[in-house]
């Protein structure tokens, strides 16, 4: 299973491409619907559906950005050398004993 940062980056990329695609198709439906065959019957429903899909991609994109931000914030805590401590286990003795 992938980590939060990796999954968020993949989802952000996928969502960005989805936003571009649905915005392009939405623009075609608004300005030149005759280029897309079969949409003349229920044009308003198709416009509503494509912009709803675009909104879902925008929501997923911002949630992914939040996941990336959260992963970067927690990565600072993990990789900070000031938080690193050696094992303090007792009872191993010394070679001089």
């Amino acid at each position: 299973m992938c980590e939060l940062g990796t999954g968020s980056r993949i989802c952000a990329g996928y969502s960005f491409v989805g936003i571009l695609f649905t915005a392009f198709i939405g623009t075609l439906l608004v300005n030149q619907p005759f280029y897309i065959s079969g949409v003349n019957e229920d044009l308003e429903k198709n416009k509503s559906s494509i912009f709803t899909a675009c909104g879902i991609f925008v929501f997923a994109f911002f949630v992914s950005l939040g996941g990336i931000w959260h992963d970067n914030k927690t990565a600072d805590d993990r990789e900070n050398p000031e938080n690193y401590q050696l094992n303090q286990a007792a009872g191993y003795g010394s070679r001089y004993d």
Side-chain angles (χ1 to χ4, degrees), residues 36-51:
I36 303 174
S37 63
V39 298
N40 292 331
E41 299 90 39
D42 201 2
L43 185 59
E44 292 305 316
K45 181 180 176 188
N46 292 331
K47 287 180 190 178
S48 172
S49 296
I50 197 71
F51 288 120

Side-chain angles (χ1 to χ4, degrees), residues 2 11 13 16 23 28 30 37 43 48-49 52-53 58 63 65 68 71 74 89:
C2 68
C11 186
F16 182 72
L28 278 178
V30 169
S37 63
L43 185 59
S48 172
S49 296
T52 300
V58 168
V63 169
L65 289 181
I68 293 169
D71 184 61
T74 57

Side-chain angles (χ1 to χ4, degrees), residues 5-89:
T6 304
S8 294
R9 284 175 181 83
I10 291 169
C11 186
Y14 175 76
S15 297
F16 182 72
V17 171
I19 291 168
L20 292 178
F21 179 74
T22 54
F24 174 71
I25 298 300
T27 303
L28 278 178
L29 284 176
V30 169
N31 296 326
Q32 299 172 337
F34 50 87
Y35 282 127
I36 303 174
S37 63
V39 298
N40 292 331
E41 299 90 39
D42 201 2
L43 185 59
E44 292 305 316
K45 181 180 176 188
N46 292 331
K47 287 180 190 178
S48 172
S49 296
I50 197 71
F51 288 120
T52 300
C54 187
I56 292 170
F57 277 120
V58 168
F59 175 75
F61 181 74
F62 282 113
V63 169
S64 300
L65 289 181
I68 293 169
W69 175 79
H70 177 72
D71 184 61
N72 287 339
K73 188 178 92 169
T74 57
D76 291 341
D77 294 339
R78 287 186 303 233
E79 297 173 3
N80 190 357
E82 294 175 2
N83 294 337
Y84 182 75
Q85 294 180 346
L86 293 174
N87 188 2
Q88 300 293 327

